[in-house]
Amino acid sequence: MKKLISERFQELAGIKPLYTEQDKDQYDRTQADRDWEQGKNPQSTAQDSATIKKVVNLKMDSEVGEPVTVEYDPKKNLRDVTISWGNESHTVDFEAEDTIDDHGNEGLDLETIANSDDGRWQFILDVYAEATYPMTGDFAEWDFDELIIQGHPENEDHLEPEDRSDYDDMDEGSCGYSQEAPGGKDLKTPGGTKGMKADTRTMSMMREAIKKEIKKLHETN
């Protein structure tokens, strides 16, 4: 059977036809023919929707000491990017935070940041955008080999209690009284050194020793 022009064109271009004889309609046209008539590339849908999966060895600046797997759709402008390692997996959206370098009509370099939903991690990636970025908001180029992962600066889970912004030494009874006893009653423990920081406790003991020595000198005189 004579081949249709579109099928012959596909063969000459090295494109394997996606449709077979069973796809032909009453006018002897395949789905490829119908797509061609409407100006569609029969392979474009499969190619454009492809998700890229890449294993990345992180930069030295990162706080994750192992390779991570990045999965993303290039058409989504760095949205719904899944970053996984070990038992961690986070799907995030990158947003432009700062302009690194503005090249005028030649575009600009941007720093983009994404945060994990649990608030523990921050992902940093430099991207290039065309000069039309202020109007489109689209990123043009990026390289996940440049990805940096660090603990979120506002997450203090890894800090010692006394180093956290919400730390209150009153909770440890620095005035000599515990906040609450079992059963809900206040403890009536008098002052002393329990709950004091080490340097405060040392200074208090030194002052007491000095007072005693001064008292002895007065009694001797």
Side-chain angles (χ1 to χ4, degrees):
M1 181 181 294
K2 182 185 287 187
K3 295 183 184 234
L4 296 176
I5 294 176
S6 60
E7 293 181 38
R8 180 59 180 158
F9 179 85
Q10 290 178 23
E11 289 184 349
L12 292 174
I15 302 174
K16 183 179 179 181
L18 300 179
Y19 306 99
T20 62
E21 295 291 325
Q22 289 77 7
D23 296 313
K24 293 187 177 181
D25 60 15
Q26 57 181 330
Y27 303 108
D28 203 35
R29 298 178 307 174
T30 65
Q31 182 61 50
D33 297 321
R34 295 190 289 273
D35 287 344
W36 197 272
E37 291 172 0
Q38 297 176 22
K40 298 178 181 178
N41 183 338
Q43 284 194 331
S44 63
T45 302
Q47 292 175 343
D48 292 346
S49 63
T51 297
I52 295 177
K53 186 174 183 179
K54 180 177 183 179
V55 176
V56 178
N57 292 310
L58 297 174
K59 298 180 68 175
M60 293 293 292
D61 297 342
S62 293
E63 295 180 9
V64 175
E66 60 183 288
V68 302
T69 299
V70 179
E71 296 181 70
Y72 67 100
D73 184 340
K75 292 178 59 181
K76 290 188 175 181
N77 200 40
L78 291 182
R79 300 208 174 256
D80 296 328
V81 178
T82 300
I83 304 172
S84 308
W85 70 94
N87 296 323
E88 302 271 357
S89 182
H90 305 279
T91 299
V92 298
D93 297 335
F94 283 85
E95 301 283 353
E97 292 290 329
D98 296 307
T99 299
I100 300 172
D101 199 355
D102 190 338
H103 306 291
N105 292 333
E106 296 181 2
L108 60 163
D109 299 320
L110 303 169
E111 179 184 75
T112 67
I113 292 179
N115 299 312
S116 62
D117 288 339
D118 61 9
R120 295 179 57 234
W121 299 101
Q122 190 170 77
F123 308 91
I124 303 172
L125 182 66
D126 293 347
V127 307
Y128 167 75
E130 301 286 356
T132 56
Y133 169 77
M135 294 176 288
T136 66
D138 293 334
F139 307 135
E141 298 177 13
W142 56 81
D143 183 358
F144 274 107
D145 286 332
E146 299 299 311
L147 177 66
I148 295 175
I149 302 178
Q150 62 183 20
H152 197 287
E154 295 181 4
N155 177 46
E156 299 182 343
D157 290 347
H158 63 289
L159 299 178
E160 295 295 330
E162 61 269 21
D163 295 328
R164 298 179 186 176
S165 59
D166 60 351
Y167 174 71
D168 184 357
D169 57 4
M170 293 293 289
D171 292 337
E172 295 190 3
S174 60
C175 291
Y177 292 87
S178 297
Q179 296 298 306
E180 189 174 326
K185 295 181 179 179
D186 290 337
L187 288 177
K188 301 301 182 182
T189 305
T193 61
K194 184 177 180 180
M196 288 186 180
K197 295 182 179 179
D199 55 348
T200 303
R201 182 165 57 249
T202 301
M203 292 299 297
S204 297
M205 295 173 65
M206 290 178 63
R207 283 196 292 269
E208 291 297 324
I210 292 172
K211 288 180 181 179
K212 290 181 180 179
E213 290 299 322
I214 293 174
K215 183 177 181 181
K216 287 182 181 179
L217 288 173
H218 282 296
E219 291 176 350
T220 301
N221 294 333

